[in-house]
Amino acid sequence: IGFCLNRDCISSMADSATTPYQTAWTWRAKCTIGLLALLVIIFQLVIIGLLSYPKPKPAIKYTESTWIIQAERGWAPFSDEDAKGELKGFHVELAQKVCDMADMDCAVVTGPANDCFNDNNDLAVAMADKRYDGCIGWSNTQHRQNTALFSQSWSTVPKNGFYAASGNENLVTCDNGKCKLSDDAKLGLVDGWASSEACLKMNDLMTESESIPDSQLFTCEELIPALKDGKINVFFIVLTDGSANPACLNMDQFGDMAITKIGEEHDCAIGGYGVATRKDSNLVKFFNKGFTKFQASGGFAELCQKYNIEVCCSEFDFDTGKCK
């Protein structure tokens, strides 16, 4: 090709193509084809170079998709809808802010408690089939840890107790932390909560042979109507005095109905409230990183103060995932 770039050579060679033994192609034509081939090669090299040139890396995200975190429906001030139908509350804001700190793309949705754990305290179908990546506002228990992982908790361990409407206190007798139900007791439990049949058996409050009928399992909202209708006369739950602390119900919701606590409180959890997820998920790992940053920034303390959550941890043991 370099030889053909010499104009004098091209002219002389082309003029000499006069004998019948030479092809119809002149040297000028051959050189033109050679130059076109060279241009094609150069073009291909340029394209290959552009394709192989390293591109700027996008900002690292912990997941390629959005993490779906469920917050229990109708649980003010933790997760509830305002007049516009927008989700709000302590757990909602906590999940959003921690995800921001961890550079996670998260969406907080609502659903019933038994979408996360069933009445046996096993991982519920909605979690197991990956409809949700995690559920916020759940405490670890000896039974739940068989099927789920839990994040760093941000509250003290919730306490559970037996309660009855005034006049039914004799249906439960307690002595030195051990309680026994009378034959007339109709015990109500909350479906999916740690104050479950498994907890009663763990605390030796029920024998292994005893069981609670499905008809005595309720949501928190159903518990008071069931008590008023006589379906139950004793219940075992986390109950607060009306303060904004994580509980199934608070005393204010019973109105004029007098409620009595029977015996001592019992531990059904081995940690405070956090995020629960499947054992094959990385959500807890990334969520803990974000929570550590959020707590160190002072944002967690401000959020607890905003919602008047009294059981928030003031100090954390990040090795055990609990309050100090």
Side-chain angles (χ1 to χ4, degrees), residues 129-188:
D129 68 5
K130 301 184 180 181
R131 194 183 316 165
Y132 307 131
D133 293 295
C135 291
I136 192 168
W138 289 85
S139 55
N140 194 0
T141 70
Q142 288 186 353
H143 191 80
R144 287 176 182 169
Q145 65 185 356
N146 293 328
T147 56
L149 293 176
F150 289 83
S151 73
Q152 167 74 44
S153 62
W154 53 77
S155 75
T156 55
V157 178
K159 299 290 185 179
N160 303 266
F162 285 103
Y163 297 86
S166 295
N168 289 325
E169 298 92 335
N170 61 333
L171 297 176
V172 183
T173 55
C174 298
D175 183 34
N176 292 324
K178 302 296 181 183
C179 299
K180 183 175 177 58
L181 299 173
S182 74
D183 293 337
D184 295 327
K186 293 182 286 185
L187 178 64

Side-chain angles (χ1 to χ4, degrees), residues 145-309:
Q145 65 185 356
N146 293 328
T147 56
L149 293 176
F150 289 83
S151 73
Q152 167 74 44
S153 62
W154 53 77
S155 75
T156 55
V157 178
K159 299 290 185 179
N160 303 266
F162 285 103
Y163 297 86
S166 295
N168 289 325
E169 298 92 335
N170 61 333
L171 297 176
V172 183
T173 55
C174 298
D175 183 34
N176 292 324
K178 302 296 181 183
C179 299
K180 183 175 177 58
L181 299 173
S182 74
D183 293 337
D184 295 327
K186 293 182 286 185
L187 178 64
L189 297 177
V190 179
D191 194 4
W193 276 63
S195 48
S196 63
E197 185 175 314
C199 176
L200 294 174
K201 292 178 178 179
M202 181 184 72
N203 283 281
D204 295 327
L205 303 174
M206 286 177 61
T207 66
E208 288 298 323
S209 61
E210 292 178 294
S211 62
I212 302 297
D214 289 343
S215 60
Q216 290 176 246
L217 293 171
F218 306 92
T219 65
C220 292
E221 294 83 1
E222 295 170 341
L223 200 66
I224 295 177
L227 187 65
K228 290 180 177 179
D229 293 343
K231 294 179 181 178
I232 59 174
N233 47 30
V234 178
F235 51 99
F236 183 68
I237 63 170
V238 179
L239 183 65
T240 67
D241 58 3
S243 60
N245 289 326
C248 177
L249 295 170
N250 64 66
M251 285 293 189
D252 294 344
Q253 292 174 271
F254 289 90
D256 296 333
M257 184 184 294
I259 299 298
T260 303
K261 186 173 90 171
I262 306 167
E264 300 175 4
E265 292 180 316
H266 304 275
D267 289 334
C268 289
I270 54 178
Y273 293 106
V275 171
T277 187
R278 298 179 306 278
K279 286 199 170 185
D280 64 349
S281 173
N282 286 321
L283 176 61
V284 164
K285 174 184 175 182
F286 303 138
F287 198 90
N288 283 349
K289 289 182 179 180
F291 181 77
T292 302
K293 291 181 181 179
F294 185 50
Q295 189 272 333
S297 72
F300 175 70
E302 292 176 2
L303 191 64
C304 291
Q305 186 175 10
K306 174 181 176 179
Y307 286 96
N308 192 31
I309 309 299

Side-chain angles (χ1 to χ4, degrees), residues 52-98:
S52 61
Y53 189 79
K55 298 178 178 62
K57 293 183 178 181
I60 296 174
K61 287 280 187 181
Y62 286 119
T63 177
E64 295 179 358
S65 59
T66 300
W67 297 95
I68 307 298
I69 299 177
Q70 192 251 44
E72 186 175 343
R73 180 185 299 139
W75 191 16
F78 301 94
S79 49
D80 202 7
E81 293 181 349
D82 60 19
K84 297 180 180 179
E86 296 179 355
L87 191 59
K88 63 176 184 177
F90 176 78
H91 283 155
V92 178
E93 281 197 50
L94 180 62
Q96 292 168 338
K97 291 181 182 298
V98 169

Side-chain angles (χ1 to χ4, degrees), residues 98-129:
V98 169
C99 285
D100 288 343
M101 286 284 184
D103 194 27
M104 297 167 64
D105 182 16
C106 298
V108 184
V109 300
T110 58
N114 55 11
D115 264 2
C116 298
F117 290 92
N118 59 31
D119 56 285
N120 293 321
N121 266 272
D122 293 320
L123 207 63
V125 174
M127 277 269 278
D129 68 5

